[in-house]
Amino acid sequence: MAGTAHRVVIVGGGFAGLFAARGLRRAAVEVVLIDRTGFHLFQPLLYQVATGILSQGEIARPLREVLRRQRNARLLLGEVQDVDLVARTVTSSAFGAVTVTPYDTLMVATGATHSYFGNETFREHAPGLKTVDDALAIRARIYEAFERAESATDHAERCRHLTFVVVGGGPTGVEVAGQIAELSARSLRRNFRSIDPADARVVLLEAGPALLPAFGPVLSARARRDLEAVGVEVLLGARVTGIDATEVRYTADGQDVRMAATTKVWAAGVAASPLGGALATLAGAQAARGGRVEVAPDLTLPGHPEVFVLGDLASMPGVPGLAQAAIQAGRYAARVVAARVDGREPPAPFRYRDKGNLATIARLRAVVQTGRIRLVGPVAWAAWLGVHLVTLNGYRNRVTVTMHWAATFLAGARAERAATAVQARHAAAAPVPVLAAMEPSLAGGRR
Ligand SMILES: Cc1cc2nc3c(=O)[nH]c(=O)nc-3n(C[C@H](O)[C@H](O)[C@H](O)COP(=O)(O)OP(=O)(O)OC[C@H]3O[C@@H](n4cnc5c(N)ncnc54)[C@H](O)[C@@H]3O)c2cc1C
């Protein structure tokens, strides 16, 4: 036992981890939430930070502030590197100091990261969008590309700087491509003297036969039409084979194509965070597709009822990698733990309640699917705005986001265009994989 009160250690302050912590606010437990950033990031609006609509502070709220009134919870800043399922401890580090935290119940909710499907060299030239740093780096690259085009004296070079390639036709790819098209056609109008930003070419490459496959064929076709209406070139069946500093190579219809482009964004692949595979190995459990951990019907690690795996890290049939699924999982795990601590019957196995899918394409254009209802156009867009405002964490953020949206969608203005040299460099630096740092200790700890 970790102490007198039952201690619940939650790793990851995203949707699953935070909602689990909040779900335990009235339970007779001590909650320790460990997160490597100390912020709850509202990932669905990251693309708006990447394209200059919102500032990072509006979508990343300090976990200390969120939990300030929850007396039974505290935040431990740190990156978890090791879990010992036998000693029931979690090892994390921050600022060079290592902390070992004992637990009675462990909830692991460290989310997902990008997958380049083994093509790690793509990472440097086509950053993905998962963190605030990613968004700021992409933003720096997008606006820098227009500056480079303005200074370019060679026509081919100018065209290359004005070509933006987004890889992946899921919601993130669609949203990023739509926003780059809008900012070049609207927001940057009359900002330059040598170039017309509206000449920018925005290309969305998707290897599969359709965009947004989860939305079904009707909405998928509509999303494509909407994107094309705002100037995005949509290329389906285009499989990327190479990416470097100056071009993207892909095959389509049996042809190899080379496209010169300075700015590339990767929105094609998702893999569970490295802690997932490591946990599965420790427990002798299955790692499912993308490194996710297959969980029991009550979201626990098979053979370890005291360990929950939640959100994007967990694999369960019929449960998608969406914020709503992570929230429901976090709340469910909190109910199970509260029942156990009180000696009550635990709730029935976890059941995901599908509340639908939303994706925005551009101003006044979105697609929404919920049950049998399908919405498109301005109505869907208004629904998208409303849902995101309601789910955004923090009253102050809702107010400022509303103001920024008004400025951007009514007048085309984007307030968040400043970039530091550090941000511009970030995306070029390939991050050190966490798993590599973890392996020796996990191998030693395997039982
Ligand atoms: C760009 C983008 C757009 C999206 N749009 C939508 C959308 O429109 N609708 C929707 O429903 N879903 C959307 N999603 C998916 C949604 O955001 C995820 O499904 C959801 O965030 C998963 O929640 P989670 O708690 O599992 O993980 P996350 O929210 O990713 O949280 C993981 C947390 O763990 C922390 N962490 C990771 N590793 C460690 C470690 N080793 N030690 C300590 N802390 C660690 C991280 O700092 C983070 O706080 C989007 C995702 C992205 C990236």
Side-chain angles (χ1 to χ4, degrees), residues 273-360:
S273 87
L275 209 49
L279 255 187
T281 309
L282 278 179
Q286 286 291 318
R289 201 167 145 255
R292 290 169 145 211
V293 183
E294 282 187 3
V295 290
D298 63 353
L299 304 183
T300 57
L301 191 63
H304 289 272
E306 77 288 2
V307 180
F308 292 80
V309 183
L310 307 172
D312 279 4
L313 194 62
S315 166
M316 184 181 252
V319 182
L322 289 176
Q324 193 45 237
I327 290 170
Q328 291 179 24
R331 285 183 174 145
Y332 171 85
R335 285 205 306 278
V336 174
V337 172
R340 284 182 188 168
V341 170
D342 291 351
R344 284 182 281 118
E345 188 72 14
F350 177 71
R351 234 185 79 227
Y352 170 62
R353 288 187 173 73
D354 186 359
K355 297 196 175 170
N357 271 318
L358 303 91
T360 177

Side-chain angles (χ1 to χ4, degrees), residues 53 143 146 178-191 196-200 230 362-364 381 404-414 417:
I53 299 176
Y143 287 101
F146 287 101
Q179 278 308 312
I180 298 177
E182 282 221 313
L183 82 85
S184 47
R186 270 185 103 222
S187 305
L188 297 183
R189 201 166 35 199
R190 292 197 285 272
N191 280 214
D196 179 355
D199 290 340
V230 296
R363 196 172 68 110
L364 302 176
W381 187 69
H404 275 129
W405 281 355
T408 302
F409 300 133
L410 296 177
R414 287 175 198 247
R417 283 165 52 179

Side-chain angles (χ1 to χ4, degrees), residues 140 419-426:
T420 67
V422 174
Q423 287 163 8
R425 275 202 315 270
H426 163 78

